Amino acid sequence: MKAKLVLYFLITFLLLHFTKNAESLLVVKPYTSEAVIGERAIFNCSTSGKSDEIQWFHYPKTNPERQIIYGFNKIYDAYKAFRIEMNNSTGALNLIIPSVASPDAGKYECQDEYGRGEKSHAELIVLMTTPVCQSDTDLNKVVGENNCGIQPDKLLLSCIVQYNGNEHPVMNWKRVGGGNTDGVAMPPAVQSDRVVYNISLSGDSIVNRSSYECVASRGSSQKSSCRSGNMTIVSKSVSCQDSCQDSSNAVIALVIVFIIIPIVAGVTASLVHYFLVYRPKSKAKTERADTVFEKKYIEAVFRATLLLLPFYVGSLVILAKYLIAHLQIRRQQKSTGEKTLSTVEKVPLQGEKTSSTKEKSPPGGDEDVAEKSAPKEPLITARESNQTTNTAVVKKQSRDNDELGARKEPSDDKLTRKIHQWKETHGKGITKGSELDKAIDKLHFDKAELKKKFHRIESEKNELYNKMQSEGKKFVFETQKLQAEKEALKSKVKELEQRLCEADTADYLERSMLVHRIAAKAHAGEKKENKENKESKENRENNAITGIAVLEKSLFISHENTAEIEVYDSATYMYVRQLSVPDMGPIGIYDMASWVKSSSSSSASSKLSCLILIGQFKESNDCSGIRRIDTNGKILKPWPSGGNAGRLSVYESNIVVCLSDKRVINEFNEDGGLIHAVRLSPSDGFNHLWHAIKVTSMHFVVSHENKVDNLHKVCVVDLKGNIMKECQDLGKASSPSTFKVPVCLLDGSMGSILVVDRENQRVILLDSSLKWQKKLLDTNDKVGLGLTKDKHQFPIRLSFDETGNRLFVAVNRFSSKVGKEEEVLIFKVK
């Protein structure tokens, strides 16, 4: 006996140590997923233990109660369309949804160790349709970078998604083909079932013929994304200064061709004629020749003028046209420069309260002055004419990004290009000490500060990454170490349990010995009265035994339809007296159990003892009541059971009530206070409960019947009603190999369970894992029990007397000659 106690305490210690230090861990946890209706969704979950210990649950969006999807190697009916992917070598048990539907949205949870270990959850967000991409600008005519004073276009791309889920989907804008997006992402606009993601782009940062894509960050297919059209950049290659230079060159060419050349040609012809023709002639002929020459020359010039007049008129028209265009461009550049300069003056720089504040020192001076001189807002703002763009949000987000530090280093080329553009467009005539030069200096200073921030963030990121790697390796090592300890403890516990079961089974006799019979005397007084009335045998068969209990060297037997309890001496088996229960209803007692508790007095051997009854009492109407009475019938404490009828058992000083109509196990303390209420679901096969006993502080053993498939089982359930173990097939060692109405359970020694298999007329012994050990006794043993062929005995109740290792078995005997009889058989089993 001492060796058995030592083994028992050793197993308890190992189980506690194992539970505390070597619990299974979830090494792979599920992640939130986004899927379009009809797509395939996968949730991964892996444990450091066995994969078949993982259970999957669903919290639908429309119903917050937890629904079991998979557990105990089966997928439940409500989720038959789902699939399970199991890999025992890696401990993986993944949940697969082949075709996502809208009701599938909600939270999914995987939990280790049959619903008692570590758990992790993830969300499934169902996209009702594929995302829709829209733009507020014609993508075929996007004004890009130019030197004509025309502001580049500001585009707003929108990504619209309809969804069903507890969270909204997370969408990201990116440029197709890779590269930087160069856009400002807006905060999402979320409604009940709709979300819009916007991104603001500038025409000067868009690559020609490029497109942008809106992608679900947690999606797995192309259906969860959409694309904008290809963007065509106009005025990208137009140089306004070249156009103006071309117009000036054209004007000069026209002046040279149509004005200067004819004048030079005429003057040259006149000079040539004068020096070659006119001077050599004699003075006598001079006057006459001059007159003739002048007439002919004037006539030739007049004719030439008439011929060249259309040319001169056309030249003047073309020249006027080019001059007008040139003046318009200059005027537009001037007005644009003035507007931009006024915008710069209106935007307060960092450290400047108003435009009239005292002029600050440039960067490079005192640190406080340099810090105040850094720009607070960007020089180029978003297009105000875009009604859908929230400018305040854009500025706030840009400011937050500047404070936190961008992930990518600022582009030198882009900043330099902006500075040159400002200088070329607006820098003429502006002195060194003007607002423009100050803004440019502050841009350079801001650029240096951003670089410092970037390098600091990169350094912190690398340190954090190295730390995470070292911690990850340490975690993996500790997990492997715990797993090895767990496996070693499992094998040790299994070996000790086997030895303990063998020792426990060895205590029971190979063949139980019938010690005595007690014939029920509940009808003794009634039979005398019924001789005069000649009561039929059928009426006498209604008082079956409903409960037996051994307490203080006495055996108590209760019957149905009566308030009387028979009392026998448990040593001599002699009838002693009858105990009457007050206020008992006509149906009588449903069940009875003995209750013993150590007293709080100084005497270590003193104990408190009483009987626990459940029955139909007069004041309880249709509900059954529980009574704690002493051995003289005095009621010590009454309270309601919470249901109709019911069966009793005792765990330490608590009372356990099994209510078949409610499919509930209630645990009360000695004063009737409810401790636990375990509800059993019909979806798990709990249709009709027979009996329940508590074996540990967290587990109950329940015998029940599933009326759907007519199977009888014995199960272990936890405090939440989850099935931990179950026994349906007893194996080849038992004949028959299945239960048939397991009407009563009794907690044996060392975790063993005694089961009354009523219709198979036997009492069997199971170990703590609900595995078959042996058949203790056969109540239909014709030879051993001295029964005739027409008699059949069906066991219904058990009570164990530890002082004499005796098992009291209440049976209902049926005979074709006598009818129904009640007896209590006493067996020596150890």
Side-chain angles (χ1 to χ4, degrees):
M1 189 67 182
K2 292 182 178 179
K4 288 167 51 179
L5 290 174
V6 171
L7 286 173
Y8 178 74
F9 286 119
L10 182 59
I11 287 179
T12 304
F13 172 76
L14 289 174
L15 286 174
L16 289 174
H17 178 77
F18 167 76
T19 305
K20 182 177 179 181
N21 298 320
E23 293 182 349
S24 297
L25 299 174
L26 293 179
V27 295
V28 177
K29 299 179 181 180
Y31 293 95
T32 297
S33 179
E34 299 160 349
V36 181
I37 290 180
E39 279 190 329
R40 186 171 181 258
I42 300 178
F43 290 101
N44 297 319
C45 188
S46 298
T47 177
S48 58
K50 295 182 179 179
S51 58
D52 57 356
E53 295 181 358
I54 293 179
Q55 291 185 345
W56 279 99
F57 302 94
H58 182 210
Y59 296 82
K61 181 186 177 184
T62 56
N63 181 14
E65 294 185 1
R66 185 170 78 166
Q67 308 291 329
I68 185 169
I69 302 173
Y70 175 85
F72 304 102
N73 297 322
K74 71 174 183 178
I75 299 177
Y76 287 77
D77 293 338
Y79 299 90
K80 285 295 185 183
F82 288 14
R83 297 289 180 266
I84 292 296
E85 183 182 74
M86 183 185 299
N87 190 335
N88 291 324
S89 62
T90 60
L93 196 143
N94 303 327
L95 179 65
I96 301 175
I97 307 176
S99 180
V100 172
S102 180
D104 297 336
K107 182 171 73 174
Y108 287 80
E109 180 180 86
C110 78
Q111 191 169 10
D112 200 3
E113 295 183 352
Y114 299 107
R116 294 180 290 112
E118 183 183 3
K119 59 185 177 181
S120 179
H121 64 268
E123 294 285 343
L124 175 61
I125 304 167
V126 179
L127 306 185
M128 307 303 290
T129 59
T130 55
V132 178
C133 293
Q134 296 179 354
S135 172
D136 66 339
T137 306
D138 186 1
L139 300 181
N140 294 322
K141 298 179 181 179
V142 179
V143 177
E145 182 183 4
N146 60 82
N147 293 323
C148 298
I150 302 174
Q151 289 287 349
D153 280 343
K154 297 292 183 181
L155 284 77
L156 186 72
L157 299 181
S158 301
C159 180
I160 305 170
V161 185
Q162 288 186 340
Y163 70 96
N164 182 23
N166 297 321
E167 301 177 1
H168 63 79
V170 178
M171 312 296 291
N172 293 326
W173 279 101
K174 63 180 183 179
R175 193 168 72 187
V176 177
N180 297 328
T181 304
D182 294 329
V184 179
M186 310 292 182
V190 183
Q191 298 178 359
S192 60
D193 60 347
R194 185 173 178 267
V195 62
V196 180
Y197 281 84
N198 296 326
I199 183 172
S200 178
L201 299 171
S202 178
D204 59 352
S205 62
I206 299 175
V207 179
N208 191 29
R209 304 303 298 172
S210 63
S211 62
Y212 286 78
E213 185 177 25
C214 179
V215 183
S217 62
R218 297 169 290 191
S220 58
S221 70
Q222 292 295 330
K223 291 184 179 179
S224 55
S225 64
C226 65
R227 289 190 181 185
S228 68
N230 292 333
M231 302 182 186
T232 303
I233 308 300
V234 297
S235 300
K236 185 75 177 181
S237 58
V238 174
S239 175
C240 196
Q241 291 182 351
D242 294 343
S243 300
C244 297
Q245 187 66 36
D246 292 342
S247 61
S248 300
N249 294 337
V251 171
I252 294 172
L254 288 172
V255 170
I256 292 173
V257 172
F258 295 104
I259 298 177
I260 296 177
I261 290 178
I263 292 174
V264 172
V267 172
T268 303
S270 300
L271 292 175
V272 170
H273 183 270
Y274 176 77
F275 286 105
L276 295 180
V277 178
Y278 179 71
R279 288 188 65 181
K281 291 183 179 182
S282 61
K283 293 181 179 180
K285 298 181 179 180
T286 300
E287 295 182 0
R288 185 175 57 86
D290 286 341
T291 303
V292 175
F293 174 77
E294 288 176 2
K295 290 181 179 179
K296 291 184 177 180
Y297 182 78
I298 291 172
E299 183 180 357
V301 170
F302 179 73
R303 290 179 180 178
T305 303
L306 290 178
L307 291 174
L308 294 175
L309 183 61
F311 268 123
Y312 285 117
V313 173
S315 300
L316 290 175
V317 171
I318 295 173
L319 179 61
K321 179 180 178 182
Y322 277 102
L323 287 175
I324 292 172
H326 184 71
L327 291 174
Q328 287 179 348
I329 292 173
R330 291 299 182 187
R331 190 183 298 111
Q332 184 178 5
Q333 288 179 348
K334 184 177 180 180
S335 61
T336 306
E338 292 175 355
K339 181 180 179 181
T340 310
L341 283 175
S342 64
T343 306
V344 175
E345 292 174 358
K346 289 179 182 179
V347 176
L349 301 176
Q350 186 172 356
E352 296 179 353
K353 296 182 180 180
T354 61
S355 60
S356 61
T357 56
K358 189 175 181 180
E359 187 172 329
K360 306 295 179 180
S361 300
D366 189 46
E367 291 182 1
D368 295 335
V369 176
E371 186 176 357
K372 290 180 180 180
S373 63
K376 187 174 182 180
E377 296 288 344
L379 295 178
I380 301 177
T381 59
R383 185 176 58 189
E384 297 179 354
S385 61
N386 192 338
Q387 298 298 329
T388 59
T389 304
N390 192 334
T391 308
V393 175
V394 176
K395 290 183 179 180
K396 182 179 182 304
Q397 186 167 356
S398 301
R399 185 164 59 252
D400 294 340
N401 291 338
D402 292 340
E403 293 174 357
L404 295 176
R407 285 286 181 180
K408 60 180 182 178
E409 189 172 357
S411 173
D412 293 344
D413 295 338
K414 186 175 180 180
L415 187 59
T416 304
R417 188 172 67 249
K418 284 190 176 182
I419 293 173
H420 285 313
Q421 181 180 353
W422 274 76
K423 284 186 175 181
E424 291 177 0
T425 309
H426 313 293
K428 295 181 179 180
I430 300 179
T431 62
K432 182 64 178 177
S434 63
E435 295 293 334
L436 178 62
D437 288 328
K438 291 180 182 179
I440 293 173
D441 292 338
K442 290 173 184 179
L443 277 176
H444 282 293
F445 178 76
D446 188 39
K447 169 188 170 183
E449 290 297 320
L450 286 176
K451 280 188 176 181
K452 291 179 182 179
K453 283 186 179 181
F454 169 76
H455 291 303
R456 185 174 67 252
I457 292 173
E458 284 294 320
S459 177
E460 293 176 356
K461 183 186 76 172
N462 293 333
E463 291 178 3
L464 182 61
Y465 178 74
N466 295 331
K467 185 177 179 180
M468 288 176 62
Q469 278 191 329
S470 61
E471 291 294 333
K473 291 179 181 179
K474 183 179 178 181
F475 173 76
V476 171
F477 175 76
E478 292 294 334
T479 303
Q480 292 175 350
K481 184 178 178 181
L482 286 175
Q483 181 67 18
E485 291 180 0
K486 174 183 175 181
E487 295 298 331
L489 285 171
K490 274 187 176 182
S491 60
K492 189 69 175 178
V493 169
K494 188 175 182 180
E495 179 183 353
L496 290 175
E497 284 183 346
Q498 184 66 27
R499 291 172 58 186
L500 186 60
C501 290
E502 292 175 358
D504 184 34
T505 306
D507 285 345
Y508 288 92
L509 298 176
E510 186 65 28
R511 184 178 179 85
S512 301
M513 298 173 54
L514 179 64
V515 178
H516 197 78
R517 297 175 184 267
I518 297 179
K521 298 182 179 294
H523 305 299
E526 296 180 7
K527 288 180 181 178
K528 294 180 182 179
E529 298 175 1
N530 291 339
K531 284 181 180 179
E532 299 177 359
N533 300 329
K534 296 182 180 180
E535 183 181 350
S536 63
K537 180 173 64 178
E538 181 179 355
N539 293 331
R540 299 199 306 270
E541 294 176 354
N542 291 330
N543 292 45
I545 295 177
T546 58
I548 58 174
V550 178
L551 183 67
E552 296 180 354
K553 298 182 180 180
S554 297
L555 171 65
F556 298 85
I557 305 175
S558 64
H559 297 263
E560 64 181 5
N561 301 328
T562 178
E564 304 296 329
I565 298 177
E566 301 174 11
V567 184
Y568 293 83
D569 190 313
S570 62
T572 62
Y573 312 116
M574 298 298 295
Y575 176 77
V576 178
R577 60 189 171 94
Q578 280 195 344
L579 181 66
S580 180
V581 181
D583 298 329
M584 180 61 68
I587 298 178
I589 300 172
Y590 295 128
D591 199 2
M592 179 172 56
S594 58
W595 181 88
V596 180
K597 179 183 178 182
S598 298
S599 175
S600 59
S601 63
S602 60
S603 176
S605 60
S606 63
K607 294 184 178 180
L608 300 176
S609 60
C610 63
L611 292 173
I612 306 296
L613 306 177
I614 182 170
Q616 191 76 32
F617 293 89
K618 292 181 180 179
E619 72 278 4
S620 58
N621 298 326
D622 294 334
C623 296
S624 59
I626 300 174
R627 298 291 185 271
R628 187 159 60 87
I629 65 173
D630 61 12
T631 55
N632 296 319
K634 180 182 177 180
I635 297 177
L636 303 177
K637 182 68 178 180
W639 69 86
S641 66
N644 190 15
R647 295 288 307 281
L648 290 175
S649 63
V650 175
Y651 176 74
E652 295 179 349
S653 61
N654 296 337
I655 297 94
V656 178
V657 181
C658 178
L659 300 172
S660 180
D661 61 328
K662 301 286 187 181
R663 292 185 290 273
V664 175
I665 302 173
N666 289 334
E667 183 179 4
F668 300 94
N669 60 20
E670 59 185 281
D671 295 324
L674 182 63
I675 301 174
H676 295 117
V678 181
R679 301 187 180 275
L680 304 177
S681 173
S683 62
D684 293 330
F686 294 102
N687 297 118
H688 182 81
L689 309 183
W690 293 110
H691 198 205
I693 59 174
K694 193 172 185 180
V695 292
T696 68
S697 60
M698 303 291 290
H699 299 95
F700 295 85
V701 177
V702 186
S703 60
H704 66 97
E705 175 187 3
N706 188 346
K707 293 184 178 181
V708 177
D709 50 15
N710 198 26
L711 293 177
H712 302 260
K713 301 178 183 179
V714 176
C715 302
V716 177
V717 299
D718 60 10
L719 296 178
K720 294 183 179 180
N722 300 319
I723 298 177
M724 313 308 297
K725 301 174 185 175
E726 65 178 0
C727 178
Q728 174 182 328
D729 190 353
L730 298 172
K732 297 181 180 179
S734 172
S735 179
S737 62
T738 57
F739 296 108
K740 196 170 184 181
V741 189
V743 71
C744 186
L745 303 172
L746 185 64
D747 189 7
S749 60
M750 302 298 179
S752 59
I753 308 295
L754 279 70
V755 182
V756 174
D757 196 4
R758 188 184 73 187
E759 297 302 316
N760 289 327
Q761 303 174 31
R762 61 182 178 176
V763 178
I764 62 176
L765 179 67
L766 304 179
D767 64 9
S768 58
S769 299
L770 302 184
K771 294 182 180 179
W772 165 273
Q773 292 297 307
K774 64 188 301 183
K775 181 170 69 173
L776 282 183
L777 55 94
D778 185 356
T779 60
N780 200 36
D781 186 1
K782 306 292 185 182
V783 178
L785 301 181
L787 300 177
T788 58
K789 293 183 178 180
D790 63 332
K791 291 183 178 181
H792 300 278
Q793 294 186 142
F794 297 91
I796 53 175
R797 297 288 188 272
L798 291 180
S799 183
F800 189 75
D801 180 17
E802 295 182 356
T803 58
N805 290 330
R806 295 172 298 172
L807 184 65
F808 292 78
V809 184
V811 297
N812 287 329
R813 179 190 297 172
F814 293 92
S815 173
S816 59
K817 297 180 180 180
V818 181
K820 182 179 179 181
E821 297 177 318
E822 296 82 28
E823 279 189 341
V824 177
L825 306 179
I826 300 94
F827 292 90
K828 186 173 181 58
V829 294
K830 290 188 177 182

